Amino acid sequence: MAALSQPQKSTYDVIVIGAGIQGSFTAYHLAQCHKDTLLLEQFLLPHSRGSSHGQSRIIRSAYPQEYYSRMMPDCFRRWQQLEAETGTTLYRQTGLVLLGPPGEPELEACRRSLGVDEVLDAATLAQRFPGFQLQAGQVAVVDSCAGVLFAGRALQAVQEVFRRHGGTLRDGEKVLRIEPGATVTVTTTAGVYKAPRLIITAGAWTGALVEQLGLRLPLQPLRIDVCYWREKQPGSAGLGSVSPCFLTLGLSQAPHGIYGLPSIEYPGLLKVCHHHGSPTDPEKRDQAPSSAPCPDIAVLSSFISSYLPGLETQPAVMETCLYTNTPDEDFILDRHPKFSNIVIGAGFSGHGFKLAPVVGKLLCELSLGEEPSYNMAHFAITRFPGVLGDAQ
């Protein structure tokens, strides 16, 4: 944040609201296009209030939706470019095991996206990756290029390059008001800024911000329990720091999916989480939850008993994160229907981190009036009926 004694500039080419991974990559691309860019963040950095903190996220090539799988080679390349620009390791290749019933449509779509024919049965999987125990008749597909992104380190890296290219990052400034027009005016707790272009990437706070602009986007913030599980005997589960990530698809006991990462953040503890959570107000997410048993923990405990028997069945560490979900779990990447100089990136639904380098590029292109690099039909605001209220 700029020192209080420094004169505060008020006019920019572009303003980006929200310095999570999506907003930071958007600002990064704008600065590389030589646009004088202001990136605003309501909390003091670094913080753990949103969706981009923590040490690890899965990155994978396998996707059941072709429009995401097409983006992934570009994402891997851009993550490698950021590593080179900052001299920082941001990715560890671990592989990814996709688990599910044979013939499960999403699992088959992932296999096709990888261009592989091999499907592992329970015995082959246990031989290759000790610690995983498939149930009778279930199968696995391996994404060998997948791995772990070091999330907090990645966020700092992209912000570093943004600043290096002349960008301005101001944290601790909550946006109070947005006034649309040929020049957009953004009022924060610390100043008033103007720009001909605005991009909103405010995570769970996006819905409240765009209501000022007459939009009722179907964005549902969820409070996610991020759980870490201890091995019953150290090293016995065969699931240490060199083990693969995993993701379930189509399991009846976990319809939203369960994912796991190796013991990177806490030595000896595996990160295993339910891809689902409880509706929350992002302003209140740090309040203690009710004393009632958490159904997501029960789902995870049952899964671990069956599939990862080398782990204790109660979490050793629990943290929280926010998802902001759309009804179809696809992103919103689009211009405001009435104010074309305002662009919105939202609803990343718990799977957007890995795609942030390309998402940022697309939001940059939309803001500058350029032809997007990818087909944007799946990300249009207008796919949701009734979103446009009384715009100012």
Side-chain angles (χ1 to χ4, degrees), residues 61-73 109 113-114 355:
S61 296
Y63 249 106
Q65 300 91 346
E66 189 179 6
Y67 44 94
Y68 291 123
S69 64
R70 285 178 180 169
M71 295 178 182
M72 287 315 303
S113 77
L114 293 169
L355 287 144

Side-chain angles (χ1 to χ4, degrees), residues 66-260:
E66 189 179 6
Y67 44 94
Y68 291 123
S69 64
R70 285 178 180 169
M71 295 178 182
M72 287 315 303
D74 196 6
C75 289
F76 274 98
R77 182 178 63 80
R78 292 181 184 275
W79 281 115
Q80 291 165 357
Q81 178 183 332
L82 183 62
E83 285 186 316
E85 287 176 309
T86 58
T88 305
T89 300
L90 303 177
Y91 161 70
R92 177 186 295 177
Q93 184 175 351
T94 64
L96 170 75
V97 176
L98 298 133
L99 313 171
E104 200 283 328
E106 288 198 340
L107 185 61
E108 278 298 297
C110 285
R111 184 186 62 76
R112 289 193 298 270
S113 77
L114 293 169
V116 300
D117 296 324
E118 186 179 29
V119 176
L120 308 183
D121 60 16
T124 307
L125 180 69
Q127 184 177 17
R128 190 176 300 185
F129 301 112
F132 287 104
Q133 181 173 289
L134 286 180
Q135 303 306 291
Q138 293 180 346
V139 296
V141 172
V142 176
D143 177 351
S144 59
C145 292
V148 176
L149 288 170
F150 302 126
R153 194 186 301 175
L155 183 62
Q156 291 181 336
V158 70
Q159 290 171 356
E160 175 190 327
V161 177
F162 166 65
R163 286 179 170 133
R164 195 187 299 168
H165 283 82
T168 301
L169 172 57
R170 297 187 66 87
D171 61 353
E173 292 199 30
K174 184 178 179 65
V175 171
L176 303 176
R177 187 166 64 255
I178 300 169
E179 299 168 57
T183 297
V184 182
T185 302
V186 177
T187 302
T188 75
T189 49
V192 178
Y193 307 99
K194 295 179 182 291
R197 304 175 186 90
L198 172 68
I199 302 173
I200 300 173
T201 52
W205 289 265
T206 298
L209 285 175
V210 300
E211 280 187 6
Q212 300 179 34
L213 304 170
L215 283 182
R216 302 291 187 270
L217 296 181
L219 297 172
Q220 177 60 69
L222 298 176
R223 183 184 188 273
I224 306 298
D225 292 313
V226 181
C227 302
Y228 300 83
W229 309 75
R230 193 182 310 279
E231 292 177 299
K232 291 176 179 176
Q233 295 181 356
S236 64
L239 293 168
S241 60
V242 296
S243 68
C245 303
F246 72 85
L247 177 65
T248 72
L249 295 168
L251 297 186
S252 59
Q253 67 267 48
H256 298 283
I258 292 172
Y259 64 92

Side-chain angles (χ1 to χ4, degrees), residues 309-355:
L311 299 181
E312 300 285 353
T313 56
Q314 292 299 313
V317 176
M318 286 181 58
E319 299 172 346
T320 61
C321 189
L322 286 178
Y323 285 5
T324 306
N325 280 33
T326 62
D328 58 13
E329 297 190 2
D330 284 329
F331 312 155
I332 292 172
L333 309 173
D334 203 355
R335 299 182 182 92
H336 189 290
K338 288 196 173 182
F339 309 119
S340 61
N341 60 340
I342 298 177
V343 171
I344 299 161
F348 295 101
S349 302
H351 67 103
F353 198 101
K354 69 184 78 63
L355 287 144

